[in-house]
Amino acid sequence: MIRPAIAADAPRIAEIYNHHVRETVVTFEEQPVAETEIARRITDTTAEYPWLVSENDGTLSGYAYASSWKRRSAYRYAVESTIYLAPEFHRRGLGSVLYRALIADMRARGFHCAIGGVALPNAASVALHEKLGFQPIGQFREVGWKFGRWVDVGYWELVL
C-alpha cells in the first residue's frame, strides 16, 4: 500500500533514514536525525510537495518525496526527488512501485521535471532511475566528504 506520509510516520522514517546516515553515503547527513525533526520535515514538505510511504504487511518499508530543486521562482516547476527503503526491503521491486507513485503525484501537481541525485557509485539507484525513464545529466566529482573519503554525485532528470 502506498499513501501520503503523516507526522506520525516519523519514528519509522527516522529509523530507515538513520540507517542510511550511519551506514551509507547515499545521504550526506552525518549525524542521525531526531524523530521530531523528521516530523517537521514531513509537515514542511507536504505543505507544497508530495511525500509518500509504502507499507508491506503493516510495516512502513520505504518513503519517497519531492522537494524544491532551487528556491528561485523560475525553478518552481522543477523538483528534486528522493527515495529511501528499509534495508530489509531492498531488491523486491518496491522502489519501482513507490517511485512510480511519486512520479504520478508530481505530474498531477503540475511539476515539469524531477531531478534525482545519486551518491556514486550506486548501481541500484542508477538502475532504478534509468528504469523509470530518468536520463543522466551530469556528475559532480568529489563534492561530498563522508566516512573519510570523497563522494561524487550524479544527477538524473525526468521530464514529467
Side-chain angles (χ1 to χ4, degrees), residues 13 22 43 60 62 78 97 106 117:
I13 290 174
R22 288 188 305 272
T43 301
L60 198 151
V97 172
M106 292 184 294

Side-chain angles (χ1 to χ4, degrees), residues 25-26 118-126 139 149-154:
V25 295
V26 300
V118 179
L120 300 172
N122 187 335
S125 187
V126 169
Q139 181 173 335
R149 69 180 178 96
W150 291 108
V151 181
D152 295 354
V153 176

Side-chain angles (χ1 to χ4, degrees), residues 10-142:
R12 177 64 175 153
I13 290 174
E15 181 182 342
I16 293 168
Y17 185 61
N18 287 331
H19 161 79
H20 293 286
V21 170
R22 288 188 305 272
E23 305 295 329
T24 77
V25 295
V26 300
T27 175
F28 285 175
E29 289 201 71
E30 297 179 282
Q31 299 301 317
V33 179
E35 294 173 11
T36 54
E37 172 59 15
I38 296 291
R40 185 198 63 75
R41 291 178 186 185
I42 292 168
T43 301
D44 289 354
T45 299
T46 57
E48 189 172 352
Y49 303 98
W51 187 319
L52 304 176
V53 298
S54 62
E55 290 183 350
N56 294 81
D57 297 323
T59 300
L60 198 151
S61 55
Y63 65 97
Y65 64 91
S67 58
S68 171
W69 168 242
K70 299 270 188 192
R71 282 289 172 197
R72 301 288 189 263
S73 63
Y75 290 117
R76 68 188 171 275
Y77 297 107
V79 292
E80 184 169 7
S81 55
T82 302
I83 183 169
Y84 289 97
L85 295 177
E88 65 271 24
F89 288 96
H90 286 190
R91 308 261 186 247
R92 295 188 187 181
L94 300 173
S96 296
V97 172
L98 179 57
Y99 218 149
R100 280 189 184 104
L102 180 68
I103 290 167
D105 195 321
M106 292 184 294
R107 280 188 177 121
R109 291 172 188 246
F111 293 112
H112 180 69
C113 72
I115 301 163
V118 179
L120 300 172
N122 187 335
S125 187
V126 169
L128 174 62
H129 282 87
E130 292 182 357
K131 174 182 177 179
L132 297 175
F134 284 76
Q135 299 294 315
I137 55 172
Q139 181 173 335
F140 294 118
R141 300 201 182 279
E142 300 183 357

